[in-house]
Amino acid sequence: MKQLINVPERVVTDALRGMAAAHPELSVDVERRVVVRRDAPVAGKVALVSGGGSGHEPLHGGFVGPGMLDAACPGEVFTSPVPDQMARAAAAVDSGEGVLFVVKNYTGDVLNFDMAAELAEDEGVRVAKVLVQDDVAVTDSTFTAGRRGTGGTLFVEKIAGAAAAEGAPLERVERVARRVAEACRSFGVALTACTTPAKGGPTFDLPPGELELGIGIHGEPGRERRPMMTSGEIADATVDALLADDPPNGPVLALVNGMGGTPLLELYGFNAEVQRALGERGVAVPRTLVGNYVTSLDMAGCSVTLCQVDEELLRWWDAPVATPALRWGR
Amino acid sequence: MKQLINVPERVVTDALRGMAAAHPELSVDVERRVVVRRDAPVAGKVALVSGGGSGHEPLHGGFVGPGMLDAACPGEVFTSPVPDQMARAAAAVDSGEGVLFVVKNYTGDVLNFDMAAELAEDEGVRVAKVLVQDDVAVTDSTFTAGRRGTGGTLFVEKIAGAAAAEGAPLERVERVARRVAEACRSFGVALTACTTPAKGGPTFDLPPGELELGIGIHGEPGRERRPMMTSGEIADATVDALLADDPPNGPVLALVNGMGGTPLLELYGFNAEVQRALGERGVAVPRTLVGNYVTSLDMAGCSVTLCQVDEELLRWWDAPVATPALRWGR
């Protein structure tokens, strides 16, 4: 696969330079790889910091801004950022009210955010952590003990970000984040492998007539390979996997997410089938987001995340947000 | 190439069903293929209507909402919508202040919007038209006499949409739209072909080690094929092509656009090189938009559009907009 890059070693640095040029409302430290709200620290507000390997854009840098993250730390492609980045981000955004680390469940991320928390606490920053482990496809996988963290991260960052913007103290923001993380379930499907800059070709082999159900966002193996399915069949299999894991007893937010290489035209069509499948199974969906939010480079495919909400969580979901990738309200 | 679809014949219908489910703020007539602001017609406001073949999402349906389009008419993939759709859209959104048709320069679109204007005028709707023909790569091409309309469409719809939202009368909105259309230049590069649902495979042949400079948004031939280039080389070639056509004598807005299959990580890196290339040539860029806005299904590649602006056009660019794909301000 051809890539729009200079050299593999500079992909993340180049992207941060380009992000800085496009988003003057963000402060991008290209050398140290930290993306921060320009107006941070925000007085009296708990700060949210996330991060992880690059290659999942707009996650996390595209979610920095009022109502969501205060800072993001991108690692190399599919590689955890280092503790120094996270500790530096925490120091940059802490107003004195403390910092919540939003951590996707990959071993490197978990270890490095733990070390970063110690570093930050040594500097007098109060730190809380929430672990996102929403992918129902497999338990234990490449890079992960337990369940992988995927699309649910968006809901955790948005809803806990809204609680923080409203002035909730650290303990409350942490509790909200944990509630959201526990209320999220995701399942992904790959039609093709993705191409990492270092490798320059597909990271795994997926034959022309097959797809993989339960794929991870780094192309980690899923549950099974099957002959190619229709959009409707994929929606049924995905929704069944989600509901089998945890049947919601109330309304859900839905993220119908593209893995990067699937056209928006197809994603909207897939959403029609996801909504049909949920409707047939009696699940109410007050809000739906369709687009490429938690991606895997150029992989073709999709994932669905459901987040069960009560009125309070729904109100925080609807609260204003102003980031490069997610933006609504006043 | 595998596609996330049911059957090729239903791709556009399915996408409209999915769009309706995700965007309650839009009124989507799935049968008749018209996407309309739910609050249309807006009293006292000139309405903007656009449309064209599907496969370029979020263009145009994703640009319907306050501050931009009042309605969009999607055709089949890479096929013009029919005059009935456009006339129906015009009737649905006209408040009595008239309707501006924003037309990309493809022969089918031009003919059908002309017929639609006659139909609408027969029903008492005042209609003005603006033709977007911003692609500097080639003159005359598959589907086109003259220059093709591509990324400049986004600037025309946004800026004329802001003028209309401010209450400008039809003649003024038309004049603004024409100014913007004349101020835009685009140039696109393909790394891969795209896959149409009907064909199910690449629409043209582009060998592994080559790219095509000057590609159209339906994969129409460009200026030349070359051995694969770096992101920096592509940026230089693109910026040179744009400035050779019309050297700006003032600041420009930049759209650094993905064709659909290129990851956002790469697009941001490409933006860094585009900004460098423009800076080296003395061009000031007060605003930049990076993302997949005017796409060609799953094609990997990019395009750059520059829109020269004065203070008035810049103010309209910055004015609030609230559509699925473009959203800022209050």
Side-chain angles (χ1 to χ4, degrees), chain A residues 2 23 191 210 268 271 327, chain B residues 2 18 23 191 210 327:
Chain A
K2 288 165 277 188
H23 297 290
L191 305 191
E210 293 182 20
Y268 270 120
N271 180 47
R327 183 178 269 271
Chain B
K2 289 166 276 190
H23 298 288
L191 306 191
E210 292 183 21
R327 183 178 270 270

Side-chain angles (χ1 to χ4, degrees), chain B residues 176-267:
Chain B
V176 169
R178 196 153 289 148
R179 263 173 71 201
V180 178
E182 284 166 6
C184 285
R185 299 287 182 281
S186 294
F187 191 84
V189 177
L191 306 191
T192 68
C194 58
T195 310
T196 57
K199 180 140 191 219
T203 51
F204 61 99
D205 183 54
L206 188 51
E210 292 183 21
L211 51 70
E212 179 146 346
L213 295 174
I215 197 83
I217 56 173
H218 311 89
E220 310 97 302
R223 284 188 182 176
E224 56 172 329
R225 294 205 170 174
R226 286 210 204 154
M228 192 56 199
M229 296 157 72
T230 66
S231 169
E233 289 165 348
I234 295 171
D236 282 321
T238 300
V239 167
D240 280 340
L242 294 170
L243 301 192
D245 190 79
D246 186 39
N249 53 22
V252 300
L253 311 175
L255 168 63
V256 176
N257 177 62
M259 302 303 281
T262 287
L264 194 53
L265 183 72
E266 296 180 19
L267 269 188

Side-chain angles (χ1 to χ4, degrees), chain A:
Chain A
M1 285 301 294
K2 288 165 277 188
Q3 297 176 293
L4 184 60
I5 64 173
N6 286 312
V7 292
E9 300 72 33
R10 265 177 48 198
V11 164
V12 175
T13 305
D14 285 352
L16 288 173
R17 286 167 55 221
M19 193 169 201
H23 297 290
E25 74 278 17
L26 301 178
S27 167
V28 180
D29 187 332
V30 175
E31 283 304 303
R32 290 158 168 169
R33 300 194 171 183
V34 181
V35 179
V36 178
R37 274 177 69 162
R38 191 167 285 286
D39 60 352
V42 180
K45 192 184 89 68
V46 168
L48 271 74
V49 172
S50 192
S54 292
H56 308 301
E57 289 68 26
L59 181 85
H60 297 271
F63 298 147
V64 174
M68 212 160 167
L69 295 179
D70 293 80
C73 310
E76 274 302 317
V77 171
F78 294 173
T79 303
S80 175
V82 295
D84 267 4
Q85 278 173 276
M86 302 153 178
R88 195 180 299 276
V93 300
D94 181 37
S95 69
E97 298 296 322
V99 175
L100 177 73
F101 284 166
V102 180
V103 185
K104 300 198 301 301
N105 189 32
Y106 298 99
T107 304
D109 290 16
V110 172
L111 289 174
N112 288 355
F113 269 107
D114 278 349
M115 286 184 55
E118 288 179 26
L119 292 172
E121 279 161 357
D122 286 348
E123 301 293 317
V125 178
R126 278 193 303 147
V127 175
K129 279 173 295 184
V130 60
L131 195 63
V132 185
Q133 38 191 342
D134 55 315
D135 187 339
V136 306
V138 294
T139 306
D140 302 337
S141 172
T142 326
F143 318 125
T144 322
R147 287 184 165 185
R148 303 175 294 219
T150 62
T153 317
L154 182 149
F155 290 111
V156 173
E157 293 177 358
K158 170 65 184 80
I159 294 175
E166 249 185 40
L170 183 59
E171 294 66 29
R172 177 119 198 265
V173 174
E174 179 189 2
R175 218 159 47 232
V176 169
R178 195 153 291 148
R179 263 173 71 200
V180 178
E182 283 165 7
C184 285
R185 297 289 182 280
S186 294
F187 192 85
V189 177
L191 305 191
T192 68
C194 58
T195 310
T196 57
K199 180 141 191 214
T203 51
F204 62 98
D205 183 54
L206 189 51
E210 293 182 20
L211 51 71
E212 180 145 347
L213 295 175
I215 197 83
I217 56 172
H218 311 89
E220 309 97 303
R223 285 188 182 176
E224 57 172 327
R225 294 203 171 177
R226 285 210 204 154
M228 192 55 199
M229 297 158 72
T230 65
S231 170
E233 290 165 348
I234 295 172
D236 282 321
T238 300
V239 167
D240 280 338
L242 293 170
L243 301 192
D245 189 80
D246 186 38
N249 53 21
V252 300
L253 311 175
L255 167 63
V256 176
N257 177 61
M259 301 303 281
T262 287
L264 194 53
L265 183 72
E266 295 179 21
L267 270 188
Y268 270 120
F270 180 59
N271 180 47
E273 296 296 335
V274 170
Q275 301 290 331
R276 174 197 53 72
L278 288 167
E280 286 171 1
R281 289 152 182 85
V283 180
V285 190
R287 305 285 185 279
T288 299
L289 193 61
V290 179
N292 290 287
Y293 292 101
V294 182
T295 62
S296 185
L297 292 168
D298 60 343
M299 182 186 281
C302 55
S303 67
V304 176
T305 303
L306 302 181
C307 175
Q308 192 176 332
V309 290
D310 55 18
E311 279 185 24
E312 189 178 40
L313 297 188
L314 183 58
R315 187 175 59 77
W316 278 323
W317 174 255
D318 286 340
V321 60
T323 72
L326 216 61
R327 183 178 269 271
W328 58 67
R330 76 230 70 253

